Amino acid sequence: MAKAVVNRDAESAMSDEQQYSEAHDLYTQGIHYSQQVGEEHLEKAISYLQKALELYNIHHTPIEWGQTQNTLGECYSLLKKGGRELNLRRAITCYQAALEIYTRDQFPDAWAQAQYGLGMAYLSLPSQEDPQPGLAKALLHLQNALKVYTLEDHPLAWAMTQNSLGNLYCLLPDEDRFSILQQAITCYENALRVYTKSRSAENWAMTHLRLGNVYVFLPGGDRQTHLRRAIEHYRSSLEFNTYEHAPEHWADIMHSLGNAYRNLPASEGEGEEDNLRQAIACYTQALQVYKQEDFPLEWAATQSNLGITYNLLPENNEQTRLEQATKHFLNALEIYTFEHHAVEWAKTQNMLALTYLDMPDGDLQANLSQAITGFEATLRVYTRETFPIGWANVQSNLGQAYSRLESGDVQQNLYQAIASFEASLLVYNRKAFPFDWARVQFTLGSVYGSLSENRQDNLRKAVACYRAALLVYNLEYTPQEWAATQSNLGTAYCQLQDEQRQASLERAIACFKAALQVYQRETNPQDWGKTQSNLGFAYAEFAQGERQHNLGLAIEHYEAALQIDFAQTAPLEWASLIFNLANAYREYQEGDRQKNLEMAIALYQATHKVYTPNLFPLEWAATQNNSGNALRELTQGNVRANLQAAIICYERAQQVFTKLHMDEYAHAVKENIESVQKALQNIP
């Protein structure tokens, strides 16, 4: 009996030894296949390792069992076939099983290996609705690994873990984004204490690339310094990732380098145009690899970024660069479609529309129509619910386009503009978006002021919009916007024709004087001149106080406006100013009355450089009529000749008024002619 027991024990020992040997062989095969490239080799490795686990026993061969779990976890973490999330979950299970055996005290290296594997598995899990719990677990396990992986004892593993921690910090959601990304930078810089160009070139280059990406997105601080550092890291990465050695990586980095240059602020000795030219050069080089047929999405992204850069480029020939931008956006839209890449399609449509909106030459109305088409296309994707800020911005730009569109029903275009601006105000409220809100209020005021229907009601709405904008704009912090709003508000007050006309003119004068606190002749000559002209008009219309004093002030401001030479650049505005100045001199009783009237007549005649009977018949007729009025009032010189000249002027005006079917005006001029003819009869 005893002999039989001994035989069974021997057989059992032999069986255990064979089982161990077989498990070891299976494990070795698994290791072999895990080191090969390709999904099919990973699947074979997993199969062998699973069979080894059926023979290894957690109680009798715990070390081998744990190591097999660790290796199996590594294989599952790399396997894509069969569902990425499922494989990562299996990897987590394997690593957790290994930690039942491996403790930090007894098996520090294997424990750290499992901790690192768990951290990477949690880090790699597809994004959930709330990624925070998974990322928190990843952070815990990677930090645990660093308790064993030190720079002194395990430099390569330490650097690898630092790199992974840097990647993790880039993904962590946190209100203090700057601090989180600073931690990522620290981790990457730690990794570079081990990774050098000579000893670990590929890892060295990849870490520099990641540092470049972090600095590009680093918020706050000195934006220029951050982007400069990003550019330095990208260029370091290019020392390994060359066009010849790694063309795809090279193109990726060139594209990122282009983005950095595009966003780089101007600095001393290097202007904005230099940076944008560098960006264009980088994008263009990336297209050596990014061919439309081979890398369609990368090609489209580069085309879009080229369009954005040309749009921003500050060079003299604005039309040429905007046409170039348009070409690149249209290229991108060959790939970006509403059906397959809706968001990128919408972004590109929006940029294309903005480019058409800014074009200074060519068929301006056709460009505005193209802009409207692009903005309306963008709104198919940018809805108030999904992209509220983008939606509001597009609505605001759509309003700008409609407000300038002169084809079709102009009044209807203005109403469309108002609808778009008011839509944007559903998002742009004064508290959350004060400057956007004020900008839209300002533009709404301009549109209401341009409506010809219900003129007085719409002018009152314009006044309300401008006054709303002034709740945000102020002289100290936004002087240019404040002055422009004051000027437009003054113009709206001048145009109000109600029972409070004089009070409105008084407010207009105050607004124009406020604008002149900012508009100086030396720094803002055109705005200064326009405001002086408007102030002259307001005083000329102002009936309260001493009338002649007001007319004197009107003449003073009109003549100040003429210190700015704009007869060639804005002939209509110049002619209107000359006409108003002539009216003021004709009515002005102070000083030498004869000279005032002669000045008025000369000014009316000067307007004929612009007001011709063919192009501006109504304005030309008005100058003829008013010239007649001034001529008949002249009391010195050849009175008969003056009256005869007045009749000629009246007759010219009457012909135009009659032709334009302005019967009331024609009748009034006829009465003037008859009055002058009677006066002639009384001259000896």
Side-chain angles (χ1 to χ4, degrees):
M1 187 72 175
K3 185 178 180 180
V5 171
V6 170
N7 288 340
R8 282 199 298 271
D9 288 345
E11 291 174 2
S12 176
M14 182 63 69
S15 175
D16 289 345
E17 185 177 335
Q18 290 175 342
Q19 183 172 312
Y20 179 85
S21 177
E22 183 178 350
H24 178 72
D25 289 342
L26 290 167
Y27 175 78
T28 302
Q29 286 282 17
I31 291 292
H32 169 74
Y33 280 112
S34 72
Q35 294 171 346
Q36 308 303 309
V37 177
E39 289 278 296
E40 68 279 5
H41 292 119
L42 277 175
E43 288 183 304
K44 287 182 180 179
I46 289 169
S47 176
Y48 280 111
L49 292 169
Q50 286 176 332
K51 290 177 181 177
L53 280 175
E54 294 174 6
L55 299 176
Y56 284 140
N57 188 292
I58 189 173
H59 300 293
H60 297 107
T61 54
I63 296 175
E64 292 81 356
W65 183 86
Q67 186 56 52
T68 307
Q69 291 285 8
N70 256 348
T71 307
L72 189 57
E74 290 177 0
C75 292
Y76 271 126
S77 67
L78 296 172
L79 186 67
K80 297 178 182 177
K81 189 176 179 180
R84 182 74 175 134
E85 182 174 356
L86 177 60
N87 291 330
L88 288 170
R89 296 286 181 194
R90 288 170 174 166
I92 289 169
T93 300
C94 293
Y95 288 128
Q96 288 173 335
L99 288 175
E100 294 181 27
I101 302 300
Y102 296 138
T103 63
R104 179 185 171 189
D105 294 334
Q106 292 184 311
F107 305 96
D109 289 355
W111 178 83
Q113 181 186 4
Q115 292 289 351
Y116 180 80
L118 277 168
M120 292 305 296
Y122 279 117
L123 179 59
S124 303
L125 276 173
S127 296
Q128 308 294 315
E129 288 187 8
D130 182 9
Q132 182 67 31
L135 293 176
K137 290 179 181 178
L139 179 62
L140 172 65
H141 289 297
L142 290 175
Q143 288 175 334
N144 280 344
L146 287 176
K147 294 175 181 177
V148 173
Y149 292 157
T150 63
L151 175 61
E152 295 77 15
D153 298 330
H154 302 276
L156 288 177
W158 179 80
M160 177 180 65
T161 310
Q162 291 287 354
N163 229 332
S164 298
L165 267 174
N167 297 342
L168 171 58
Y169 281 124
C170 289
L171 296 174
L172 275 177
D174 194 283
E175 292 182 2
D176 189 357
R177 190 70 180 149
F178 181 81
S179 296
I180 287 292
L181 290 180
Q182 284 285 9
Q183 292 186 67
I185 289 171
T186 299
C187 290
Y188 290 137
E189 289 177 342
N190 282 343
L192 288 175
R193 296 171 66 185
V194 176
Y195 296 150
T196 65
K197 185 180 177 182
S198 58
R199 287 193 301 172
S200 185
E202 186 171 357
N203 289 327
W204 174 84
M206 181 56 69
T207 307
H208 274 294
L209 174 59
R210 288 168 177 162
L211 270 167
N213 291 338
V214 174
Y215 274 115
V216 162
F217 292 104
L218 190 63
D222 185 344
R223 182 69 174 149
Q224 186 178 79
T225 299
H226 296 164
L227 288 172
R228 285 284 177 203
R229 287 177 179 168
I231 289 168
E232 290 172 6
H233 288 296
Y234 286 143
R235 293 207 174 278
S236 293
S237 187
L238 285 172
E239 294 178 24
F240 175 81
N241 292 303
T242 64
Y243 175 74
E244 296 76 16
H245 173 69
E248 290 184 35
H249 286 315
W250 176 84
D252 291 342
I253 298 168
M254 292 306 299
H255 187 262
S256 297
L257 197 55
N259 291 341
Y261 274 118
R262 192 186 81 221
N263 292 293
L264 184 64
S267 61
E268 186 176 347
E270 196 168 55
E272 180 185 7
E273 183 173 352
D274 296 326
N275 297 332
L276 293 174
R277 288 290 180 193
Q278 285 274 23
I280 289 171
C282 292
Y283 292 137
T284 303
Q285 287 180 283
L287 289 175
Q288 294 180 40
V289 175
Y290 293 159
K291 303 298 183 183
Q292 184 176 1
E293 58 275 12
D294 299 324
F295 301 93
L297 292 179
E298 290 82 357
W299 180 84
T302 308
Q303 293 288 349
S304 179
N305 284 334
L306 273 168
I308 293 170
T309 310
Y310 275 112
N311 194 300
L312 296 171
L313 195 64
E315 62 177 19
N316 293 332
N317 194 336
E318 185 178 10
Q319 182 70 18
T320 299
R321 68 177 177 80
L322 291 181
E323 287 175 356
Q324 185 74 13
T326 299
K327 183 188 77 171
H328 288 295
F329 290 133
L330 290 172
N331 283 345
L333 289 173
E334 292 179 19
I335 302 300
Y336 293 149
T337 63
F338 174 72
E339 292 75 18
H340 298 105
H341 308 285
V343 173
E344 295 304 325
W345 175 83
K347 288 180 181 178
T348 309
Q349 289 283 3
N350 186 46
M351 285 306 306
L352 180 61
L354 287 169
T355 305
Y356 278 122
L357 188 62
D358 290 340
M359 277 191 178
D361 300 320
D363 189 337
L364 300 182
Q365 294 305 305
N367 291 339
L368 287 172
S369 295
Q370 290 278 19
I372 289 169
T373 299
F375 289 135
E376 289 179 340
T378 306
L379 291 174
R380 294 176 64 189
V381 177
Y382 285 10
T383 65
R384 183 184 173 191
E385 294 72 27
T386 55
F387 298 94
I389 297 176
W391 177 83
N393 183 259
V394 175
Q395 290 285 4
S396 176
N397 289 329
L398 185 58
Q400 291 279 1
Y402 270 120
S403 70
R404 292 160 51 187
L405 187 65
E406 296 176 2
S407 58
D409 186 335
V410 174
Q411 293 300 301
Q412 185 58 37
N413 293 339
L414 293 175
Y415 284 120
Q416 286 277 11
I418 289 170
S420 295
F421 287 131
E422 289 183 340
S424 73
L425 291 175
L426 296 174
V427 173
Y428 290 154
N429 60 72
R430 180 183 164 195
K431 183 177 181 180
F433 304 95
F435 295 105
D436 292 306
W437 179 83
R439 173 176 51 79
V440 174
Q441 293 287 358
F442 174 85
T443 315
L444 256 178
S446 299
V447 177
Y448 277 121
S450 300
L451 283 168
S452 59
E453 300 173 354
N454 302 316
R455 183 70 180 147
Q456 294 304 304
D457 287 342
N458 286 321
L459 282 171
R460 280 186 279 272
K461 290 179 180 178
V463 166
C465 290
Y466 291 134
R467 293 181 66 178
L470 289 173
L471 295 174
V472 174
Y473 294 151
N474 58 65
L475 176 60
E476 182 177 2
Y477 296 109
T478 52
Q480 293 298 323
E481 292 84 354
W482 179 81
T485 309
Q486 292 284 4
S487 179
N488 284 14
L489 178 58
T491 300
Y493 275 130
C494 276
Q495 294 172 345
L496 281 172
Q497 301 282 346
D498 54 20
E499 64 279 0
Q500 296 183 336
R501 170 71 174 159
Q502 296 306 310
S504 296
L505 288 170
E506 192 170 10
R507 294 189 184 102
I509 290 169
C511 290
F512 293 136
K513 286 183 176 179
L516 288 174
Q517 295 181 55
V518 175
Y519 294 154
Q520 302 295 316
R521 179 184 172 186
E522 295 75 16
T523 55
N524 306 90
Q526 298 300 321
D527 292 320
W528 179 84
K530 180 180 177 181
T531 308
Q532 291 286 358
S533 178
N534 288 336
L535 197 49
F537 179 82
Y539 273 119
E541 292 284 304
F542 196 44
Q544 292 183 355
E546 175 56 45
R547 176 62 181 160
Q548 292 303 308
H549 174 71
N550 292 338
L551 283 171
L553 290 174
I555 290 170
E556 179 183 324
H557 288 292
Y558 284 142
E559 291 183 338
L562 287 173
Q563 295 176 35
I564 306 302
D565 184 10
F566 59 98
Q568 301 301 320
T569 58
L572 289 178
E573 289 81 352
W574 176 84
S576 176
L577 170 58
I578 296 296
F579 180 77
N580 289 336
L581 179 57
N583 288 340
Y585 268 118
R586 181 173 58 81
E587 191 180 345
Y588 195 43
Q589 303 289 334
E590 300 290 336
D592 189 329
R593 177 65 178 156
Q594 182 79 8
K595 287 185 177 180
N596 292 342
L597 291 169
E598 290 172 353
M599 177 64 78
I601 293 166
L603 290 168
Y604 287 132
Q605 290 175 344
T607 65
H608 295 165
K609 295 176 183 178
V610 178
Y611 294 157
T612 64
N614 292 329
L615 294 178
F616 300 97
L618 180 59
E619 290 79 359
W620 182 81
T623 63
Q624 293 290 353
N625 180 69
N626 290 5
S627 291
N629 291 338
L631 285 164
R632 68 187 292 187
E633 291 185 41
L634 286 172
T635 58
Q636 298 178 14
N638 191 332
V639 176
R640 177 178 293 276
N642 292 338
L643 292 176
Q644 289 172 340
I647 290 175
I648 293 172
C649 291
Y650 285 139
E651 288 175 343
R652 290 171 179 169
Q654 186 183 33
Q655 289 175 4
V656 173
F657 291 143
T658 301
K659 187 176 180 179
L660 295 175
H661 305 290
M662 302 178 71
D663 298 337
E664 184 177 350
Y665 288 92
H667 180 72
V669 175
K670 181 182 177 182
E671 290 182 346
N672 286 338
I673 293 172
E674 292 172 352
S675 176
V676 173
Q677 287 173 339
K678 288 181 181 179
L680 278 171
Q681 292 174 1
N682 295 327
I683 296 177

